[in-house]
């Protein structure tokens, strides 16, 4: 018999990743057992965030044989984002892609010629990472 608490602990990074994006519309609907597997049912706001969750799943266990997930994407491929004070494109890249190195892709997708010249309140779209 699978142990719910052990599986929750194992997949805590996945649940935490979903919760990191709550302010953008992500939510965990339920976490329970489905037979011998942990069942995570959640919603994420975009394919960008879904990919970030998927990366987290693969980091925890590349085979994820003890996980059943239903992660619905409620929006489109891109993720809308409003620049906050103290943000830079590397920081945004780290949050949404797991690496700061995709900042140039964000800049290019938004026609930003100088990544150092972004302003709080500016609206950008985060593309699905190539």
């Amino acid at each position: 018999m699978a142990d719910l608490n052990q599986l929750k602990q194992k997949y805590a990074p996945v649940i935490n990743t979903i919760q990191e994006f709550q302010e953008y519309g992500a939510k965990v609907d339920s976490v329970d057992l489905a037979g011998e597997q942990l069942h995570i049912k959640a919603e994420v706001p975009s394919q960008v965030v879904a990919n970030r969750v998927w990366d987290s799943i693969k980091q925890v266990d590349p085979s994820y044989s003890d996980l059943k997930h239903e992660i619905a994407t409620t929006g489109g491929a891109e993720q809308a984002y409003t620049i906050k004070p103290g943000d830079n494109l590397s920081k945004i890249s780290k949050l949404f892609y797991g690496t700061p190195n995709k900042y140039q892709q964000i800049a290019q997708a938004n026609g930003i010629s100088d990544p150092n010249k972004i302003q709080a309140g500016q609206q950008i779209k985060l593309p699905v990472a190539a």
Side-chain angles (χ1 to χ4, degrees):
M1 176 96 186
D3 183 319
L4 177 60
N5 288 330
Q6 279 184 330
L7 287 172
K8 274 186 177 178
Q9 190 173 7
K10 176 180 177 179
Y11 286 99
V14 176
I15 296 165
N16 292 341
T17 298
I18 297 165
Q19 291 172 336
E20 265 185 83
F21 294 98
Q22 277 182 323
E23 70 179 281
Y24 308 104
K27 67 178 184 172
V28 177
D29 294 321
S30 63
V31 179
D32 50 29
L33 279 178
E36 295 294 309
Q37 296 176 308
L38 184 68
H39 176 236
I40 299 175
K41 186 173 181 183
E43 293 179 1
V44 295
S46 66
Q47 189 60 50
V48 170
V49 176
N51 289 350
R52 184 77 168 93
V53 172
W54 186 240
D55 289 343
S56 183
I57 290 170
K58 292 185 287 185
Q59 283 179 342
V60 168
D61 185 346
S63 73
Y64 56 91
S65 58
D66 54 1
L67 176 69
K68 177 182 181 200
H69 56 86
E70 292 179 67
I71 300 172
T73 303
T74 58
E78 295 181 328
Q79 175 65 47
Y81 185 80
T82 303
I83 306 292
K84 298 179 177 108
D87 273 350
N88 61 50
L89 295 186
S90 292
K91 182 178 173 183
I92 296 165
S93 175
K94 174 88 171 115
L95 174 63
F96 284 93
Y97 303 115
T99 175
N101 300 332
K102 301 224 182 246
Y103 73 92
Q104 290 174 321
Q105 196 174 347
I106 297 170
Q108 186 176 16
N110 289 280
I112 299 170
S113 57
D114 185 345
N116 296 315
K117 293 190 177 176
I118 59 171
Q119 298 178 347
Q122 183 178 348
Q123 296 272 331
I124 61 172
K125 293 275 187 187
L126 304 172
V128 174

